[in-house]
Amino acid sequence: MRDFCFEVAIIGGGPAGTATGIALKNLGIDSVFIVEAGTYSKPKIGESIPPNTQTLFQRLNIFDAFSSQHHEPCLGSYSCWGSTQLGFNDNLFNPYGAGWHLDRRRFDLFLARQFKALSGALVDNTRFSNLSVMKNDLYPIKLSFENHPDVCCRFVVDATGQSAKVARKFGAAVSMQDLMVSFAAYFDCQDTHLNENKLTLLEAVEQGWWYCASIPNNLQVVSLTTDIAVAKKLKLKQPENWYSLLKHSKHINNRIEGSAFPNRLNSWKTPSSLLSPPAGNGWLAVGDAAACYDPISSQGIYKALANGLQAAKAIALWLNGDANGLTEYRNKVVKDFVNYLEQRDYFYGQEQRWLEAEFWVKRRAYLAGLKYG
Ligand SMILES: Cc1cc2nc3c(=O)[nH]c(=O)nc-3n(C[C@H](O)[C@H](O)[C@H](O)COP(=O)(O)OP(=O)(O)OC[C@H]3O[C@@H](n4cnc5c(N)ncnc54)[C@H](O)[C@@H]3O)c2cc1C
């Protein structure tokens, strides 16, 4: 192939994009190019991964390398959901042992380096802007970038996260099942015993739910996930309003007692959405570009890695003239999303303490009427 022409171009170098790249390389597809808009230097949210992620690392042939990164173990979780009592779920009897609290910035960089170690081509600080389909067929595809010469490829992977920027150019649309927002602050626990606590903590409240977990550098991340309308009414963008709600929580407030409020909030949209369709001739989407799950599931990164493995198989078949893998991939993404919605509905349905509160009324409305399919 001539310069800047690849078999597969992957747009987005987060966990889904790099896992797809690694899996393609493992299948013997040599000519794979990843383009990442960022530089792996900014902090990212999305830290806890379940113990069975180990199986995906093994299938990607990176488990030993991942283990040597020494991310914090996640020994289990407490939750106050559906009653005032704290329930405990530990990973002691899990056949895979503990999960992990990831340092996301370091984790994303690690995956990018694993891809490069397989002679994968990756450029960062480069943003995809558009594509065109040449020769009146769906390939080759010409991709353009803000600060890089054009690239052409036979197959393109959308791994751009929630924006699904590439798939939209192929006419795919995002079907939104629910949309919430999370506000998070990082508490410095340098001088406290708090970071000895390696259990995540979940607490439902009238306005949504709180989450607290230890992360590297003696920090605790504390987030509130709520409805967008509720957030606007309570002016939660203002740190003092968020903090005053935190003071009314029972368990989360106890957990960070004694550490100073950092006075700075980050916010993220937290949709439950499915891309329709998640794949077509010459392209597919992986990770959050294909489907976004509520962070309560702690499944986002697991799904990103699993999609990467499934996608690579489908792409390898397609490059050999067999489109059946793409159909299978599309069906799998939809089936997993339906399963996820059922689990989510069950979980939110367990909380019956605030039947009149807007956050819970709206979640029940989603349970009752807005199911996918
Ligand atoms: C508040 C919150 C809490 C969460 N907690 C958890 C958790 O505890 N556990 C868990 O497993 N998941 C969690 N998640 C979900 C998890 O963060 C995501 O599912 C995961 O990051 C998805 O990986 P991805 O590679 O699909 O997308 P991303 O990680 O979003 O990566 C997409 C990449 O594409 C790049 N990109 C975007 N546009 C372009 C472009 N035009 N050109 C080039 N590159 C581009 C971006 O820079 C980015 O690096 C949480 C999410 C939120 C919002």
Side-chain angles (χ1 to χ4, degrees):
M1 286 188 129
R2 64 187 166 81
D3 276 357
F4 301 124
C5 268
F6 297 87
E7 292 275 32
V8 184
I10 299 171
I11 315 301
T18 45
T20 309
I22 292 167
L24 281 166
K25 283 290 198 175
N26 289 342
L27 289 175
I29 313 288
D30 267 341
S31 173
V32 185
F33 181 53
I34 298 184
V35 182
E36 164 56 39
T39 55
Y40 297 103
S41 52
K42 281 195 191 152
K44 265 189 173 182
I45 193 112
E47 296 87 8
S48 305
I49 54 171
N52 62 343
T53 317
Q54 181 182 330
T55 57
L56 302 180
F57 290 135
Q58 280 161 344
R59 286 170 59 198
L60 287 165
N61 292 335
I62 57 171
F63 184 58
D64 290 345
F66 170 77
S67 301
S68 68
Q69 294 277 303
H70 300 297
H71 289 273
E72 294 277 348
C74 174
L75 304 178
S77 59
Y78 285 115
S79 67
C80 171
W81 194 277
S83 92
T84 49
Q85 299 299 313
L86 262 191
F88 178 51
N89 179 13
D90 75 17
N91 289 327
L92 202 61
F93 298 108
N94 191 305
Y96 298 106
W100 293 272
H101 292 299
L102 297 176
D103 174 340
R104 261 308 289 277
R105 191 198 61 75
R106 200 156 57 81
F107 178 65
D108 286 13
L109 183 61
F110 159 76
L111 289 175
R113 286 186 173 153
Q114 290 297 309
F115 172 71
K116 284 196 206 169
L118 296 167
S119 319
L122 185 150
V123 292
D124 63 6
N125 209 12
T126 299
R127 184 170 287 277
F128 161 83
S129 56
N130 213 340
L131 62 76
S132 56
V133 175
M134 288 145 71
K135 295 189 188 159
N136 297 325
D137 199 344
L138 269 181
Y139 65 92
I141 297 161
K142 189 172 159 203
L143 305 163
S144 41
F145 300 91
E146 282 169 6
N147 57 352
H148 193 274
D150 289 345
V151 164
C152 65
C153 61
R154 289 180 63 199
F155 196 97
V156 62
V157 176
D158 187 341
T160 58
Q162 286 185 16
S163 67
K165 182 109 196 243
V166 181
R168 289 172 197 269
K169 305 276 181 197
F170 285 100
V174 172
S175 157
M176 192 65 72
Q177 301 295 299
D178 194 358
L179 180 58
M180 300 189 288
V181 61
S182 298
F183 294 91
Y186 298 94
F187 287 78
D188 189 344
C189 302
Q190 189 82 41
D191 302 322
T192 71
H193 61 283
L194 290 172
N195 245 36
E196 288 159 20
N197 196 339
K198 302 295 180 211
L199 296 160
T200 58
L201 174 58
L202 186 67
E203 179 174 356
V205 291
E206 185 179 342
Q207 301 82 5
W209 51 267
W210 289 95
Y211 168 86
C212 178
S214 33
I215 55 172
N217 304 320
N218 287 308
L219 296 172
Q220 293 270 325
V221 60
V222 176
S223 76
L224 173 68
T225 298
T226 186
D227 192 79
I228 289 183
V230 173
K232 273 192 189 143
K233 271 184 214 151
L234 298 176
K235 298 196 172 87
L236 289 181
K237 267 190 181 166
Q238 292 172 17
E240 61 277 16
N241 296 339
W242 179 92
Y243 192 50
S244 135
L245 268 192
L246 172 64
K247 287 276 158 201
H248 283 95
S249 70
K250 189 173 167 213
H251 305 286
I252 301 271
N253 189 41
N254 280 347
R255 170 113 164 222
I256 52 147
E257 194 92 76
S259 59
F261 178 45
N263 231 335
R264 189 164 182 274
L265 279 185
N266 301 279
S267 67
W268 289 268
K269 282 190 181 151
T270 46
S272 286
S273 60
L274 177 67
L275 185 71
S276 183
N281 195 21
W283 69 274
L284 60 70
V286 286
D288 281 8
C292 288
Y293 291 6
D294 188 325
I296 207 151
S297 70
S298 276
Q299 287 291 315
I301 293 165
Y302 182 94
K303 167 173 62 68
L305 303 178
N307 278 177
L309 283 156
Q310 295 145 3
K313 261 178 108 185
I315 296 166
L317 284 175
W318 187 91
L319 292 172
N320 275 324
D322 180 352
N324 286 328
L326 279 188
T327 309
E328 238 175 72
Y329 178 78
R330 222 172 15 224
N331 293 342
K332 175 92 174 102
V333 170
V334 174
K335 189 169 159 240
D336 287 351
F337 187 72
V338 172
N339 284 343
Y340 147 73
L341 282 185
E342 278 170 15
Q343 284 169 17
R344 177 183 185 270
D345 288 0
Y346 173 78
F347 197 65
Y348 278 104
Q350 295 296 300
E351 181 53 82
Q352 299 280 328
R353 282 178 289 169
W354 300 282
L355 293 175
E356 307 297 323
E358 183 172 356
F359 177 85
W360 297 100
V361 168
K362 283 193 178 165
R363 299 299 81 66
R364 275 197 304 282
Y366 283 112
L367 306 192
L370 282 176
K371 291 214 167 129
Y372 185 81

